[in-house]
Amino acid sequence: MSAKSPASLSGRVALVTGGVGGIGTAICERLSAEGATVYAADISGDPGSVPAQVLHAECDVSSEASVTNVMQRINTEQSRLDILVNAAGIEIEKTVEETSLEEWNRIFAINVTGTFLTCKHGLALMRQVGGGSIINFGSYDGFIADPGLAAYCATKGAVHALTRALACDHGPDNIRVNAICPGYIDTPMLQSFFGSSGDIDSLKNEVRRVHPIGRYGTPEDVANLVNWLAGDEARYASGQLWVLDGGLTAQAQQMRL
Amino acid sequence: MGGQLKNKTAVITGGSRGIGRSMVELFAREGAQVLTCSRSERKDPLPQGISSLTADVSRSDDVKKLASEAVSRLGKIDILVNNAGVQVEKTVVDSTDEDFEALMSVNTWGVFALCREFIPLMAGNGGGTIINIGSISADHADPSMALYNASKAFVHSLTRSIAVDHGHQGIRCNAICPGWIMTEMADAAFDLADDPDAARADALARHAAGRFGQPKDIAQAALWLASDGASFITGQTLTIDGGLIAASPLRPGFF
C-alpha cells in the first residue's frame, strides 16, 4: 500500500478542458502546483491568466477532429495521460419553450458530447500507462432544477449518468471516473449574473445567507476537490457524484418566515 | 362514493385530525372498514361507522391493544397506515434526552412496533400493505428540526427493509413523503413570522403547483398505494410536495 503523498502529482499529465475559464484556471494552477504537467484546452485561443508553465491548447470539445488533435499532441509530447478534467461547459438561461433546437443541440454538443469525446479519445492514453482519473463536471442542477435553465439541467443529468457508465465500463482498466457537482461558485459567470440585478450587495448577502456555510464557493474550493479526486488518496473513489455546494442542497427551500 | 377499498380493512394511527383524519374519512368513503387511534379524545367526533380507540403508539401496552382490537373489530387486516407522529423544533444542541425519547418513541419505535405486530397478522391472511408517513425532511433538512428530520430518515429506511424482508409473505410497504401540508401546525408556523402575509406569499411562490398541499392530497396518494392498482409498488418513497424539492433551495428571483 504505497499511495503517493496526497500533495504530489509529479510525473502526471493532466488535460483540463475549459482550462482558461473561471474554474478551469484554478484547476490548472492547482494541478500544476502539485507537480503535474498540465494542458489547458479551451475554445479560446487566449491563454488568459493560466500560469506560464501550463501548456495551452486551443480546442473545441464539440469537434471530434479538434479533440483528437489535442490527444495526438499529448501522446506525441508526453506519451501518457493520467488526469482528464472536463470543465468546459456553457449555460443557456431559458425554459424549454424558449430554447431553440439549435441552442439545445449547441449546449448538448459542448456539455455532453464534449465530455463523451474527450473520454472516448483519452481512455486509450490512460490505459497505456495503467490507469487514470477522469473528473467530469456535473452540477447540483443535475439533481434539482433552477428556474429557466432547462437544457442546462438536462445536460448535467446526462453527465451524471455518463459518469457512472464510464466508471463501470473502465474500472477494470484502473480508470476512475467521478463527477463534481458544484452549487454557487464565484466565477465571472456568477458575477455577470449578480451585475444584471439592481442591488448587488444585498443580493450577494441573501445568497450567502441561504448557504449553511455562509458563503458561496470559490474556484479554489473546486480545485481542492479536483486535486483530491485526481490523486492516489482517492484511489477507491469512482462512479460518484460529488456535490460541492456549502450545504445548500442539504436543505429544503429556505422560505422567508 | 367510490368503492376502491370495498371489502378491505384499514388501521390508521393518528386519525383524529390533519392528514390522518383525511385518510380515515377517504378510506371509509371508499368502502374500507377503518379503525383509528389517537392519544386523546378530540372534541370533533369522527364520522359514523369509523371505529376508534385511545392509544399512544409509543407505549408497548397500547400497541398490543391496538393489534388485538384490530383483530377483534376488523377480523383480517389489509392496510396499516403509520401516520401518528410528533415534532420537536430544536437543533441537536438544544434537544434534551427527554425530547429524544418523546420524539423517537413515537416516530421511530412506534412505527417499528406496529409493523412488528401487524406483519404476522397480514401474512397469516395472505398479505397486506403498509403505508408509512415519511417526510421530504428526511432527505433535505428543515432548520431546527434535527430529531424530526432524522426520525423520518429512519422511517424511509425501515420501509425498504420491510419491503425486502416481507415481500415474499405478500406484504407491500411504501412511504409517503409530504411537503408543506396546510394543517393547524403549518398555520401556526406562519403566524409566528414577522410578516405572516409576506411569509405565506413567499412560501406559495416556491411551490411549482401554485398552492400549498392539503391533507386530502396525501390521503389520495395513500388510497392509491393501498389499492390493488399499486400491487407492484413496494419499498418506495413517494414525495407529494407540489414540486417544492424539485427546485433549488436558492431562488435569487425571489430576493
Side-chain angles (χ1 to χ4, degrees):
Chain A
M1 307 294 271
S2 59
K4 282 192 178 178
S5 154
S8 173
L9 294 175
S10 67
R12 309 286 170 92
V13 175
L15 169 61
V16 181
T17 73
V20 309
I23 291 175
T25 298
I27 294 169
C28 289
E29 280 174 4
R30 179 61 187 271
L31 297 183
S32 181
E34 298 291 343
T37 302
V38 179
Y39 287 80
D42 207 284
I43 189 89
S44 166
D46 176 1
S49 57
V50 295
Q53 72 273 21
V54 171
L55 301 153
H56 180 254
E58 196 171 331
C59 177
D60 173 1
V61 293
S62 70
S63 154
E64 186 161 29
S66 183
V67 169
T68 53
N69 272 344
V70 171
M71 293 300 175
Q72 275 162 11
R73 177 180 159 196
I74 292 172
N75 196 25
T76 303
E77 293 176 0
Q78 311 292 338
S79 303
R80 66 186 295 155
L81 179 65
D82 301 276
I83 300 157
L84 169 61
V85 183
N86 284 304
I90 63 167
E91 177 174 298
I92 291 176
E93 293 169 7
K94 293 185 176 180
T95 67
V96 161
E97 275 191 303
E98 296 159 354
T99 304
S100 69
L101 179 59
E102 191 183 17
E103 287 169 328
W104 172 269
N105 287 337
R106 174 86 183 130
I107 193 170
F108 267 78
I110 294 167
N111 294 8
V112 184
T113 307
T115 300
F116 156 75
L117 285 174
T118 56
C119 290
K120 178 177 170 65
H121 296 292
L123 283 163
L125 284 177
M126 290 185 163
R127 204 180 286 116
Q128 74 192 22
V129 287
S133 174
I134 296 175
I135 298 151
N136 293 329
F137 271 78
S139 171
Y140 85 123
D141 277 325
F143 297 105
I144 55 175
D146 266 319
L149 279 177
Y152 179 79
C153 292
T155 62
K156 294 306 182 178
V159 168
H160 294 182
L162 183 64
T163 298
R164 287 187 292 257
L166 284 161
C168 292
D169 286 345
H170 304 290
D173 294 326
N174 196 32
I175 293 168
R176 297 183 295 104
V177 188
N178 292 282
I180 295 177
C181 312
Y184 274 62
I185 307 296
D186 194 2
T187 59
M189 201 189 284
L190 188 66
Q191 290 301 328
S192 101
F193 162 77
F194 284 145
S196 66
S197 86
D199 183 353
I200 298 172
D201 286 339
S202 74
L203 177 58
K204 284 183 176 176
N205 279 334
E206 287 284 2
V207 170
R208 289 189 191 99
R209 188 185 62 78
V210 178
H211 285 77
I213 274 188
R215 64 177 178 88
Y216 35 90
T218 66
E220 289 70 32
D221 292 323
V222 179
N224 286 342
L225 182 52
V226 169
N227 178 55
W228 182 74
L229 286 170
D232 291 341
E233 282 264 301
R235 66 190 172 193
Y236 198 54
S238 192
Q240 295 302 305
L241 311 173
W242 301 81
V243 177
L244 188 69
D245 70 352
L248 180 65
T249 57
Q251 325 167 89
Q253 284 197 59
Q254 294 305 286
M255 299 174 192
R256 312 178 111 199
L257 296 177
Chain B
M1 174 98 179
Q4 290 193 61
L5 299 180
K6 203 175 154 207
N7 299 325
K8 305 267 192 191
T9 61
V11 174
I12 301 172
T13 66
S16 70
R17 62 186 172 136
I19 291 170
R21 185 177 185 111
S22 181
M23 289 193 287
V24 165
E25 293 176 357
L26 180 63
F27 280 35
R29 269 207 310 282
E30 292 292 336
Q33 249 192 294
V34 178
L35 170 64
T36 186
C37 68
S38 57
R39 278 189 294 188
S40 55
E41 291 297 328
R42 290 273 299 180
K43 49 189 181 296
D44 40 348
L46 289 163
Q48 270 206 325
I50 290 164
S51 188
S52 72
L53 57 90
T54 304
D56 180 342
V57 300
S58 70
R59 294 175 53 91
S60 183
D61 291 350
D62 284 9
V63 168
K64 289 195 185 315
K65 181 177 77 178
L66 187 56
S68 65
E69 285 293 318
V71 170
S72 67
R73 298 191 199 186
L74 304 176
K76 69 177 176 65
I77 318 296
D78 298 305
I79 302 159
L80 168 66
V81 183
N82 282 305
N83 167 72
V86 295
Q87 69 185 45
V88 171
E89 292 160 14
K90 293 182 182 178
T91 66
V92 162
V93 170
D94 292 339
S95 300
T96 64
D97 285 355
E98 291 72 26
D99 290 330
F100 186 95
E101 177 61 23
L103 186 138
M104 293 297 175
S105 66
V106 175
N107 292 12
T108 67
W109 187 88
V111 175
F112 150 72
L114 277 156
C115 290
R116 186 172 58 178
E117 287 296 324
F118 280 84
I119 288 168
L121 296 175
M122 290 175 164
N125 281 311
T129 182
I130 299 172
I131 297 161
N132 295 324
I133 301 300
S135 174
I136 59 168
S137 311
D139 295 318
H140 300 84
D142 270 324
S144 289
M145 295 276 275
L147 295 177
Y148 177 82
N149 297 343
S151 75
K152 293 302 184 179
F154 171 98
V155 170
H156 292 191
S157 191
L158 191 76
T159 296
R160 289 187 283 270
S161 291
I162 290 169
V164 167
D165 289 344
H166 301 287
H168 69 98
Q169 294 169 287
I171 309 282
R172 290 192 298 116
C173 185
N174 294 288
I176 295 176
C177 314
W180 278 53
I181 307 299
M182 279 302 112
T183 57
E184 296 96 320
M185 220 188 298
D187 265 335
F190 282 128
D191 290 339
L192 289 174
D194 295 335
D195 183 346
D197 288 342
R200 276 193 181 80
D202 177 81
L204 196 57
R206 293 171 192 276
H207 285 77
R211 65 175 177 88
F212 297 124
Q214 300 294 332
K216 71 174 183 201
D217 292 316
I218 305 305
Q220 279 161 347
L223 169 65
W224 179 67
L225 283 174
S227 73
D228 293 338
S231 63
F232 199 53
I233 299 175
T234 192
Q236 295 303 303
T237 53
L238 175 61
T239 297
I240 314 267
D241 72 347
L244 185 68
I245 63 166
S248 169
L250 186 46
R251 305 282 294 273
F254 295 163
F255 296 157

